[in-house]
Amino acid sequence: TYGKSRIQGLLENYSDNLFPFFINSNAVQVLGKELDDLWYDFEKYLAKKYKPQIEKIKSQGLREGKRLSSEGYLSSQLKVLPDGRVYYVSYNGKRHTALMMIDQQGEVHRLRNVNFGTRIDVHPTAGVLLIQPERCHNGPIYYDLYRVDLEGDDLDQLTDCGRYRNAAWSPDGKDVIAVHNKAGKNELHLINIEKERKTVLWQGVQWDVIGAMDWSPKGDKVVAQVWRNKAGWNLELFDVQNRRWQKLSNDSAIQAHPQYTADGKAIIFSSEHGGVYNIRRHELASGQTVTLTNVLTGAVSPGLSSKGDLFYLGYSGEGLDVYQLASNEQGQSLLPPARKGPTATALFTPEKFDAGKSESYSAWDSLKPRWWFPHLFIGPDRTEVGAVTAGWDSLLQHLYSIDIAYDASNEQGLGMFQYIYDGFYPLIKYETSIEHNFSYDNKDNLRRIRRQYSQIFEVVFPLLSMDSSWTLNFGAISNKGKDIEVASGVAASPSTVDNIAGVALVYDSTEYHSKSISRTSGRDVTLIAEDSDAIGESDYVGKTYIGDWKEFFRLGGEHVLAFRYAEGKGSGNSRPFTLGGHKDDSSSFSAIMDPIYNSPFNRRQFSLRGYPEGLPHLTGQRMRLASLEYRFPITRIERGFMAPPIGVHQLHTTLFYEAGTTWDIDSDPEEYYRSAGLEFFTDTVLFYYLPLKIGIGYAKGLDLGGEEQVYLRLGSAF
């Protein structure tokens, strides 16, 4: 509509902006319209373009199956057994990706959790073949082959770091033909499961890609969707004995998900002939192809039962679900024509050039920060305003984050700098920070503000999988405390130094999904031991032990029951624990989001909502805290603004009840201090990509020193 030159104009004009995301004024200056008006024009363009196609499809008579599943969102890799049982992989955005089965009565069964991106094949006796991603030796993510029985039990890993992207059972279930991928080149491997023997059947050239495939009932051929340079996606047959390919199709329409019929005389597949993905049937003897479905939105990944019933994944506004179309309802219309030529243009071949002399890699060119985010924390005793940024080099060996803020309520600066070197195993971390602790008397009068300088040096040994992580952390920590403000008549506390050596074990199996309101299931456990005597020159002497257990239970839908139990014990005159407020040492914001990079050490401040920080009777060398939260959704909005670029995903609420105490001697505390309250959250997306949970809370302390608090927070309490 506006010409190619305007695209370059949008880029160049926007690049001159000192402040980011002034995209609306950019559109006005270059295109003459605001973004909302441009979007309205785009909607009219789409309606004009597709209305004739929709009317044509309806005039031909819709042939759509009966919907069997209701998970929606993302489903993939449907496979059908001859008896009519349907297997597929489903992810509904609310819970873990799962292997699903629909029985002959149409009842849906959730068989087992699998990793996101898993592909499958099913055999009546050999079971379900899983091609699923997993971490290889704690590092890169590769696809491997696994087998489970038809009930989803008895998981057996068949390959380790195999790099197999697609696979199919042989007719007798004793062999697997699998697509191996490495350095951009595909190979076909014949793998004997029982003898653990591998044979390379075929090696492709650069950029040949083998997609979904199926083995013929006779075992002599394999049909696959194949992408080749200058040709794009087509269907091809691979002769297993002669190890040669034969093309079945060659036009501009993308063809995918081929499956043999039970007699081996035909192949069903999905293709975009006619502009909409439908299910087709290709007769191998005659070469004739007919269309079985006629849908408005798309039908992919077909499978047939022995009765001839067609099952496929159909697309709707709720996502992909399983549909069934009886044999007597399937159409036999001719395949819509497609233009001649490939489905893809030839890959760009760069001109030859003189690379010059090679130089050693330098991280400096890519380390500068390219974004920033506001730091905002508002509570009864502080108002922190600042900015956060982070950066990393191209190889992700050097990572850093910077958080600088100003406490306007107390006219004090604070901040944090974190650096991580991840160039070898284990990874190395350094962090320095300035924070403020607040102490009150029993009448909620501020007694002192104490500045804490902290430095942490860590060595971290991670053990990672797709669903969980273990880390073993060794750390050296230096803490320096100094009063920067004391109330009239209150004696200043002496400056202190606490040098600590620590070890921690951290386990995390919690899940957080795209439609979740919080972590939905799993546990997060941290065990810490710290010693103030090991390094020396400390004003504190003794050992500190902390256990922090967080457990999450999915109650159905997006409802979650969250539980936390933390206990700490110090010996000698170790630095004491404090309870109070809604800011926890373990929940401090890091611009480097991966929890592996967050330090477990130096935790003495634990939140107890409904009580101010630093109360004398909530300070001691022993600590116990328990929290119970019921988290539930209010509504999903999923709307946003183009300018400024802010999206609102959903609203949800937390009801909480917690109790904590501190003490110095004896084995049990004399009294617990309870509180209750609620928090309202909105899940937002800023600048198109940054998710942010913003909450406003109300808490009431129910015992000595308790008060009513209203606060603003980023993220949940735990």
Side-chain angles (χ1 to χ4, degrees):
T1 302
Y2 291 92
K4 286 185 177 181
S5 63
R6 300 298 180 93
I7 299 175
Q8 188 66 25
L10 285 169
L11 295 174
E12 292 179 355
N13 191 70
Y14 182 78
S15 298
D16 289 338
N17 291 339
L18 177 63
F19 296 99
F21 307 113
F22 277 63
I23 57 175
N24 206 34
S25 59
N26 188 48
V28 171
Q29 292 169 9
V30 178
L31 302 177
K33 285 188 176 182
E34 293 187 351
L35 285 171
D36 286 339
D37 295 330
L38 290 166
W39 187 263
Y40 178 67
D41 291 346
F42 179 57
E43 288 180 329
K44 291 193 297 183
Y45 155 79
L46 291 176
K48 181 179 179 181
K49 178 179 180 179
Y50 288 109
K51 185 177 180 180
Q53 183 184 16
I54 293 172
E55 292 176 346
K56 181 179 179 181
I57 293 172
K58 289 180 177 179
S59 68
Q60 294 170 345
L62 295 178
R63 291 191 298 276
E64 299 176 323
K66 173 186 175 183
R67 183 174 171 180
L68 300 182
S69 69
S70 58
E71 292 283 297
Y73 212 55
L74 296 175
S75 298
S76 64
Q77 284 283 180
L78 179 145
K79 299 290 181 178
V80 182
L81 288 177
D83 62 7
R85 282 179 290 175
V86 180
Y87 290 79
Y88 63 103
V89 176
S90 175
Y91 176 62
N92 65 0
K94 300 178 182 179
R95 59 190 304 188
H96 203 289
T97 306
L99 174 65
M100 312 290 289
M101 187 266 286
I102 302 178
D103 61 24
Q104 296 94 328
Q105 289 72 43
E107 186 174 346
V108 180
H109 302 269
R110 184 182 180 93
L111 300 184
R112 69 173 302 117
N113 289 346
V114 296
N115 293 336
F116 184 81
T118 293
R119 303 167 179 126
I120 64 171
D121 194 24
V122 184
H123 190 276
T125 58
V128 182
L129 180 67
L130 304 177
I131 310 99
Q132 72 172 349
E134 186 52 88
R135 288 195 178 272
C136 173
H137 300 158
N138 210 47
I141 297 174
Y142 296 147
Y143 277 75
D144 270 305
L145 305 181
Y146 301 77
R147 176 174 57 180
V148 298
D149 61 28
L150 294 177
E151 285 71 43
D153 300 323
D154 301 326
L155 180 68
D156 182 20
Q157 184 170 351
L158 305 178
T159 64
D160 182 33
C161 302
R163 305 178 73 119
Y164 291 108
R165 296 302 303 271
N166 286 285
W169 284 116
S170 64
D172 60 8
K174 296 181 180 179
D175 297 300
V176 168
I177 191 166
V179 179
H180 180 266
N181 178 69
K182 187 176 182 179
K185 293 185 179 180
N186 279 194
E187 297 178 345
L188 282 181
H189 291 181
L190 179 64
I191 302 173
N192 185 277
I193 300 300
E194 296 178 356
K195 299 180 180 179
E196 298 182 355
R197 183 177 60 203
K198 180 181 71 177
T199 304
V200 179
L201 299 179
W202 170 83
Q203 293 177 317
V205 298
Q206 193 79 27
W207 308 122
D208 281 352
V209 179
I210 312 301
M213 54 187 181
D214 189 40
W215 214 320
S216 68
K218 292 182 178 180
D220 58 338
K221 289 183 172 60
V222 172
V223 63
Q225 62 179 101
V226 182
W227 194 95
R228 298 188 189 275
N229 190 20
K230 299 182 181 180
W233 287 108
N234 287 286
L235 300 185
E236 298 188 22
L237 292 177
F238 180 75
D239 190 312
V240 178
Q241 186 67 32
N242 298 319
R243 304 185 182 185
R244 278 184 280 188
W245 289 97
Q246 172 192 348
K247 282 194 172 184
L248 279 182
S249 63
N250 187 21
D251 60 25
S252 61
I254 296 175
Q255 293 139 84
H257 315 115
Q259 292 285 298
Y260 275 97
T261 56
D263 57 12
K265 295 181 180 180
I267 292 168
I268 59 171
F269 63 98
S270 60
S271 76
E272 58 167 352
H273 288 88
V276 176
Y277 276 94
N278 273 289
I279 309 303
R280 327 288 179 176
R281 179 186 177 106
H282 176 79
E283 301 293 336
L284 292 171
S286 66
Q288 184 183 34
T289 303
V290 296
T291 299
L292 306 181
T293 62
N294 187 41
V295 301
L296 277 174
T297 55
V300 296
S301 196
L304 286 173
S305 70
S306 58
K307 296 181 180 179
D309 288 345
L310 173 66
F311 299 87
Y312 64 88
L313 293 176
Y315 186 74
S316 72
E318 297 178 14
L320 289 161
D321 271 303
V322 179
Y323 290 77
Q324 179 183 11
L325 188 63
S327 58
N328 61 354
E329 297 176 344
Q330 298 166 23
Q332 296 291 321
S333 59
L334 296 177
L335 184 71
R339 71 179 190 277
K340 295 180 180 180
T343 58
T345 58
L347 294 174
F348 171 72
T349 302
E351 298 179 1
K352 293 183 179 181
F353 66 96
D354 182 9
K357 294 182 179 180
S358 62
E359 297 179 357
S360 299
Y361 172 72
S362 173
W364 292 108
D365 293 338
S366 54
L367 267 179
K368 65 182 180 180
R370 290 174 170 82
W371 61 272
W372 66 273
F373 187 76
H375 170 126
L376 179 63
F377 187 93
I378 300 174
D381 49 25
R382 67 187 76 181
T383 305
E384 299 175 7
V385 180
V388 179
T389 189
W392 43 85
D393 68 314
S394 299
L395 298 184
L396 288 176
Q397 292 181 344
H398 305 270
L399 305 91
Y400 68 90
S401 65
I402 302 171
D403 183 356
I404 300 176
Y406 179 72
D407 184 350
S409 298
N410 301 287
E411 299 181 344
Q412 298 292 335
L414 64 153
M416 181 272 293
F417 171 77
Q418 184 182 52
Y419 169 76
I420 298 165
Y421 179 68
D422 197 8
F424 55 81
Y425 188 86
L427 62 87
I428 307 297
K429 298 165 54 178
Y430 172 76
E431 179 179 319
T432 181
S433 64
I434 301 175
E435 294 185 324
H436 298 124
N437 294 331
F438 299 82
S439 297
Y440 296 85
D441 60 23
N442 290 329
K443 296 182 179 179
D444 297 339
N445 297 314
L446 181 66
R447 290 171 53 83
R448 73 181 77 250
I449 301 176
R450 191 167 180 83
R451 176 170 291 182
Q452 292 289 144
Y453 301 86
S454 298
Q455 295 186 77
I456 304 175
F457 177 80
E458 277 185 75
V459 178
V460 183
F461 295 84
L463 180 61
L464 310 176
S465 70
M466 294 289 287
D467 283 339
S468 63
S469 66
W470 290 87
T471 63
L472 180 62
N473 302 51
F474 297 92
I477 306 101
S478 174
N479 290 288
K480 296 180 180 180
K482 179 182 179 181
D483 284 356
I484 58 173
E485 183 177 327
V486 294
S488 177
V490 177
S493 296
S495 298
T496 57
V497 176
D498 189 12
N499 295 323
I500 302 170
V503 59
L505 183 65
V506 182
Y507 172 72
D508 188 357
S509 65
T510 56
E511 300 176 13
Y512 193 104
H513 302 290
S514 55
K515 290 186 177 181
S516 299
I517 62 173
S518 79
R519 291 190 277 184
T520 59
S521 60
R523 63 191 53 87
D524 181 353
V525 182
T526 302
L527 302 175
I528 309 165
E530 298 177 347
D531 188 348
S532 296
D533 300 335
I535 298 178
E537 298 185 4
S538 290
D539 296 320
Y540 296 97
V541 177
K543 297 177 175 61
T544 302
Y545 304 95
I546 302 173
D548 194 352
W549 187 301
K550 302 163 187 173
E551 190 81 23
F552 301 86
F553 302 93
R554 180 180 174 273
L555 302 180
E558 297 134 85
H559 294 244
V560 177
L561 190 66
F563 174 75
R564 179 187 190 183
Y565 180 81
E567 182 142 355
K569 178 181 179 181
S571 63
N573 71 327
S574 58
R575 187 155 49 95
F577 297 98
T578 61
L579 293 178
H582 59 280
K583 186 176 182 181
D584 197 313
D585 282 347
S586 64
S587 62
S588 59
F589 178 80
S590 172
I592 303 174
M593 296 297 186
D594 195 318
I596 291 174
Y597 296 140
N598 294 329
S599 176
F601 297 114
N602 204 31
R603 299 181 180 179
R604 299 295 186 273
Q605 170 67 41
F606 288 79
S607 66
L608 181 60
R609 290 161 286 188
Y611 295 86
E613 298 178 21
L615 290 176
H617 60 282
L618 288 175
T619 301
Q621 287 190 321
R622 297 189 182 185
M623 175 274 302
R624 186 174 294 161
L625 173 67
S627 299
L628 183 65
E629 295 192 353
Y630 172 46
R631 304 171 180 179
F632 59 94
I634 299 176
T635 185
R636 180 169 291 116
I637 298 174
E638 294 185 338
R639 292 291 184 270
F641 303 93
M642 287 194 177
I646 300 174
V648 180
H649 178 45
Q650 58 188 351
L651 302 177
H652 52 96
T653 300
T654 294
L655 301 176
F656 67 85
Y657 178 84
E658 56 190 5
T661 188
T662 63
W663 71 103
D664 291 319
I665 57 175
D666 299 328
S667 58
D668 291 306
E670 295 182 357
E671 188 174 358
Y672 287 91
Y673 299 89
R674 303 160 300 150
S675 67
L678 73 163
E679 296 171 335
F680 293 95
F681 290 96
T682 174
D683 291 347
T684 61
V685 178
L686 303 184
F687 317 137
Y688 305 110
Y689 71 93
L690 183 62
L692 188 65
K693 190 186 299 291
I694 302 174
I696 182 170
Y698 167 81
K700 180 177 177 59
L702 304 177
D703 296 297
L704 178 65
E707 62 182 13
E708 294 188 28
Q709 294 178 343
V710 177
Y711 51 88
L712 180 70
R713 71 178 311 143
L714 299 180
S716 55
F718 61 91

